[in-house]
Amino acid sequence: MSKVVITNRIPESAVAALRAVHDIDYYDAEETISREELLRRAAGADVLVTLLTEKVDDELLDAAGEQLKIVANVAVGYNNIDVPACDARGIVATNTPKVLTETTADTAFGLMLMATRRFGEGERVIRSGTPWQWGMFYMLGMGLQGKTLGIVGMGQIGQAMARRAVAFGMDIVYTDEFELDAATAEALHARKVDMDELLSTSDVVSLHCPLMDSTKHLINAESLKKMKKTAYVVNSARGPVIDEAALVDALKNGDIAGAGLDVFENEPAVHPGLLECDNAVLLPHLGSATVETRTAMAELAAQNVLDLLSGQPALTPVTQKTSL
Ligand code: GLV
């Protein structure tokens, strides 16, 4: 039996699958485990099943010890894991791609609709009891039909976002290190461009890249200035891909029209300036938050562990690329 440390509450089916064959040390709570507790529990672990709220770095790997074989992250994003440090020690790091693709694209698309059609703002009017009246020019937003969506990171989630946008009559431009095959590009009405062209031609810019050194503050004061004044930015990837202070300035100065954010630079903190911006839609990191998807993510993480411990390759080892 191997020692499997699960660092937070995850869906029961995944815990049961692991418990059936291994010795489980389960931090069965919804609040994030303290660093102290994490370091203490990790000692002697063969497996760490982690969430995106746990930083997996040299300190934690040292605390676990040389027998540690796998870090199974229950998230597609892996910026909480020092992957080179795991590689250097022969520890396999895994994430949960594909199972959350459609759900996360739903969230990004919902943010785009909410921001461009001012649905959050409208809801606040009703809930606050603010007087209102139907009017020809009351709370007009931007329609999506015929507009251009710029997708930064055309991986699984970017492509799922593009499929939704095509159904709404949008054209797609994208950036990534790879190019879509001709049939997919045609089906998605998608054209590969460089970042400057994407910024200057898009009516909505949606981020679907992982957080890496090269994508930190990819959207900053300079890039926001390159966007159309009528454009929106949507972030369902990771908060630090946007320089939040620069975004607040751009939203307040009218450099762009609005933003839809599911993630923040210093979660769970939100830049106070964003709270003052009626043109920002703000969600508490709900990208993959459905019962079905969270269950599938946890079960995939458990399967990665079970496969690796039985001598097979893990199903979804982290592969570092420029899209999710
Ligand atoms: C959620 O943010 C994830 O990376 O799965």
Side-chain angles (χ1 to χ4, degrees), residues 3 24 26 54 57 125 145 169 194 209-210 219 244 300-301:
K3 176 178 168 181
I24 305 294
Y26 186 22
E54 278 84 67
D57 54 7
V125 166
Q145 294 76 14
D194 63 26
C209 54
I219 301 298
E244 230 163 61
L300 175 54

Side-chain angles (χ1 to χ4, degrees), residues 244-268:
E244 230 163 61
L247 177 62
V248 169
D249 286 346
L251 289 169
K252 287 189 171 175
N253 298 338
D255 292 338
I256 64 168
L261 308 174
D262 185 44
V263 288
F264 301 92
E265 214 173 331
N266 298 301
E267 285 176 23

Side-chain angles (χ1 to χ4, degrees), residues 52 75-79 104 107-108 111 152-153 157 206-212 215 218 234-242 260-264 267 285-288 322-324:
L52 58 88
V76 69
Y78 47 82
N79 55 293
T104 308
T107 303
L111 282 170
V152 178
I157 302 172
S206 190
L207 305 173
H208 301 283
C209 54
L211 172 61
M212 305 182 290
T215 59
L218 183 69
V234 170
N235 191 4
S236 59
R238 283 291 180 267
V241 177
I242 297 184
L261 308 174
D262 185 44
V263 288
F264 301 92
E267 285 176 23
H285 205 149
L286 298 179
S288 63
T322 48
S323 47
L324 291 168

Side-chain angles (χ1 to χ4, degrees), residues 12 19 31 63 68 80 108 115 138-139 141 148 166 217 242 249 251 261 266 278-279 290 308 311 316-317 324:
E12 190 48 38
R19 190 180 276 125
E31 70 273 10
L68 183 66
N80 59 311
Y138 181 56
M139 216 178 265
T148 298
V166 167
H217 287 185
I242 297 184
D249 286 346
L251 289 169
L261 308 174
N266 298 301
D278 247 340
N279 51 352
T290 67
L308 192 98
T316 53
L324 291 168

Side-chain angles (χ1 to χ4, degrees), residues 109 112-113 116-117 119 141-149 164-172 189 203-204 228:
F109 204 85
M112 175 164 72
L113 271 176
T116 55
R117 295 295 310 280
F119 289 157
M142 179 187 84
L144 295 179
Q145 294 76 14
K147 297 296 194 310
T148 298
L149 171 63
R164 285 155 177 74
V166 167
F168 273 65
M170 299 185 83
D171 289 315
I172 314 291
H189 302 205
D203 298 295
V204 179
K228 297 181 186 177

